[in-house]
Every structure is written in structure tokens, then in C-alpha cells.
Amino acid sequence: MRVAFVASEAFPFAKVGGLADVVGSLPQALRRLGLEVTIFLPWYWGIEGYYVGEAWFNFAGQREKVGLGHAEHQGVRYVLVGLGDFARDRPYGYPDDFRRFVRFAMATAELVREFEVVHAHDWQAALLPLLRNLGWFSGRTVYTIHNLAYQGVWDSHEFYAWTGLPGETYYGAGLEHYGSVNLMKAGIVNADAVTTVSPRYAWEITTPEGGEGLDGVLRAHQGKLRGILNGLDTSYWNPATDPYLKHPYDADNFAGKALNRKELLAELGLEDRPTLGVVSRFAHQKGIDLVAEAVDGLMDLGVNLAVLGSGDANLERTFSWLAAHLRGRLAYVQGHHEALAHRIYAGADGFLMPSRFEPCGLAQLIAMRYGTPPIVRAVGGLLDTVRHWETGFMFETPDAGGILHGVREFLKHPDREGVAKRAMRQDFSWDGPAQAYLGLYRELVG
Ligand SMILES: Nc1ncnc2c1ncn2[C@@H]1O[C@H](COP(=O)(O)OP(=O)(O)O[C@H]2O[C@H](CO)[C@@H](O)[C@H](O)[C@H]2O)[C@@H](O)[C@H]1O
């Protein structure tokens, strides 16, 4: 069985958040089960690949050329889809993102003909199941929702001018949503199977509170919807072998954790107090604004904050200001820093993740793997992966009071090291989830 992944991010080639971790590591686990996956990724600026040729596709009434590259990572083959408007330094954040990814999907649809399963990830690839139903290729389709909040919504006139799709698809194939085109909706309606990244989130998105306006659509398609919990690349995220750490450790040789902690506090200029790490995209979802609101209370509780993240410019400014005014207690590093992220996961005493919603969440899994108990809001995949008082701490309300409650629980636990070690000894690997995906592909292909 040949499986194609189509996605906008894959670690190590292009990463903004957790989507990249999943697309970059699930194929390795499937490979261990004997399944070959090829990943179709936009050829972003800076990705090194071999130019292998070109293909043609239709866009905006013209024949267009797409350059094709090959790359490989840990035995997994990548096809780099080379379109001019992807040669930029970031994957997204441009006014023409919708158009760019529609082009990417249309070009990729021409390239996946020999695959039995085409597995599309998030809105950037959500057009593929519809294109399959229109006969562009014949594989069975799986659509995975990593984040329902980003749906790919755009003006229908422009969409039809670019794609040239038959007009009846607007209502007939699930593209129309409140007067616009919605690619997420089309992915859900047209795919043979829809998955999301935790069982709890699979349920939450069928409710008006968690459905982001698509709960009705998801309820109508509930029979083909399932939640498969994400795994981690446990050889990459491994405190015993992590090249970014000076002091390796594991649950049985825990002494290195304290040494990494000392280094981290020195690096960030923090006082010797319980230190909570935050490594996050600065997006509304993540509740980083709530951390800012809780700062006075957190300082009163006697904890430090070590914050790494970027995104929302107001939040970046807020944390820069806080770091300048709370020297020794709150450190903030703006940007995306792989090495520092590892040092925070390893060196912090606890990990704060006050998400408003969370499809699965990998940061809390990484924190647990590094023996850093997560303090999380009881929602989505956080509920499925953290056990209160056993492997981490949970709070209910998405506000400053909730965060302070969670941190108080963390501080009063009599055996935080026990919590840390229990957290570390869990199995976060892809082994189980990869079996679930393989089972799904087999059901579809028959
Ligand atoms: N400034 C920074 N520097 C370095 N690394 C940084 C960073 N900011 C974030 N990261 C890294 O990005 C990843 C974040 O992954 P998450 O799954 O926790 O959230 P995200 O919302 O991005 O993913 C979405 O997709 C994933 C995958 O399905 C779901 O788990 C999740 O719930 C959903 O919201 C982690 O590897 C983290 O270390």
C-alpha cells in the first residue's frame, strides 16, 4: 500500500508548530510497520532538495508549471512541490496564503495518482478529498484536523476563478459556509475518513462550544470521524541522548535534571526559585494572554517564568515589557529556538500550558518526557494525556484564577519528583497511534 501525506509543515524542513512534529515523525513509525509514506510538502525557501523535474497543472485558466524536488529524512521520501510563491522565509502569515495553498493542493492532486491512500492534513491540504471525488485521482482519502480554528475561508468568486471547479460543488460538495468557501468543511464532507488528534477533541468539536461553527457538519459526519492521539518522536525527544542538553538524564538517573536546571536559570538570569516553562506559539488558543494577566499572582506565589514564544505582536511586546520589569523572575525569549526549547523542557520545574482549547498538544507530552510536570487546563488532548496530581496538574477555568489554582496545586504537592518520574515513565511513542492509522488505511483500501 502506498500512502501520500500532503501537508504544509514537516519537521525538520518547515516547522511552525505541532503539525510539523506529527507530519515529520508519524511516517517513520508507519515505516517501522512496513508502510512506505511519501510526504508532499511545499518547497519553501531554504529547503535543500534535488531538482528532479516538473509537472503541469491548471490554475486560474492557465497551464502552470510546478518544479519538483526530492529530499529524504530518516528514510522517508519527500516530494518538494516548487511553486514560486512558496519561496519565502516563513510558511504562512502572508495575505495570499489562501491562494498559495489552493495552488499547492491543485498541483499536488496531479502528483498523487499512484497512491492508494492520500492523507491530507489541515486546511492547507483540505481540497484534495474533493478533487479526488471529482476524479482527479483515485486513492482513498483521509483528512486529519490538527486545528479546527484555522479553516481556510475565502471569497467564492476568487476561489472558482482560480480553481475552475464546477459551480455545483459550492453547495453540492460542501464548500459553501455562510456565504464563503470553507476548505476545512470541504475536507470533512469529502474525505473517506476524518481523524483528529485526540479522542476528547474528536468529541469536543461536535459540540457548539468546540465546533468553531462546524459542529453541525461534524455531527453529520460523525460516523467517519475518530480521534487518534498523537505520539512523539521519542528518539528525538529523549533527555538521555538530547544533544542540546549538557547533562543527560532519565527517570533512573535523574541527577542531570537538576544540573540542566542550574544552567537554564543562569542562562536566563533567573533567581533560584520554582521555575515554570512556557514554549508556545503566541496564539489566542494557547492562553498566553492569561499568563500575562496572572503574572502578579504568580510572582506572589514565588515562582519564576521562563517563556519562549512568538506570534501575536501585542503579546510579544507585553512579555518583553514584563521581562524588563521583572528581572530575575521572568525571562522572555522571542522567536523560534529549537535548542532553547529543549533546555526549557529539561531545566524547568513545571510546564505551564493554559490552553483555551487543545486538539492534542505535544508540548505537554515533551514536558512529561523530560520529567517536567505540566500544569494544564482540563481541555482537549490535555485531558487525555495528563493525570491530575499523578503526572501533572490540571485546572478548569481559562483565566488568571484558573492558572493560579493550578500552580498552587503544583506547589503544594509533597512529592513533585515522584510526579516527574511517573510522567517520564509513560509511553508517548508513535507505536500505538501508528497502528491505529495503519488499521484505518487497511479498512479503507480493503
Ligand atoms: N518558540 C518556539 N520555539 C521552539 N519550538 C516551539 C516554539 N513554539 C512552539 N514550539 C514547538 O512547537 C510544537 C507545538 O506543538 P503543540 O502540539 O503543542 O501545539 P500546536 O498548537 O502548534 O499544534 C497543533 O497541532 C498539533 C499536532 O496535531 C496538536 O497536537 C495541537 O494540539 C494543535 O494545536 C512543540 O514541538 C513545541 O516545542
Side-chain angles (χ1 to χ4, degrees), residues 15 17-18 146 230 281 285-286 335 337 345 358-363:
K15 172 162 173 174
H146 294 267
N230 282 336
R281 295 185 296 110
Q285 165 191 358
K286 301 294 181 182
H337 296 284
Y345 286 121
E358 196 58 73
C360 175
L362 296 171

Side-chain angles (χ1 to χ4, degrees), residues 1 21 50 56 121 149 161 192 239 241 270 321 334 407-409:
M1 186 183 352
D21 296 76
Y50 293 98
W56 293 85
H121 297 266
D192 295 315
T241 56
L270 291 170
W321 188 91
Q334 188 181 327
V407 173
R408 269 190 223 104
E409 292 279 293

Side-chain angles (χ1 to χ4, degrees), residues 31-44:
R31 196 159 176 264
R32 289 194 288 276
L33 300 176
L35 191 76
E36 287 298 330
V37 176
T38 301
I39 301 172
F40 290 80
L41 183 75
W43 198 341
Y44 298 110

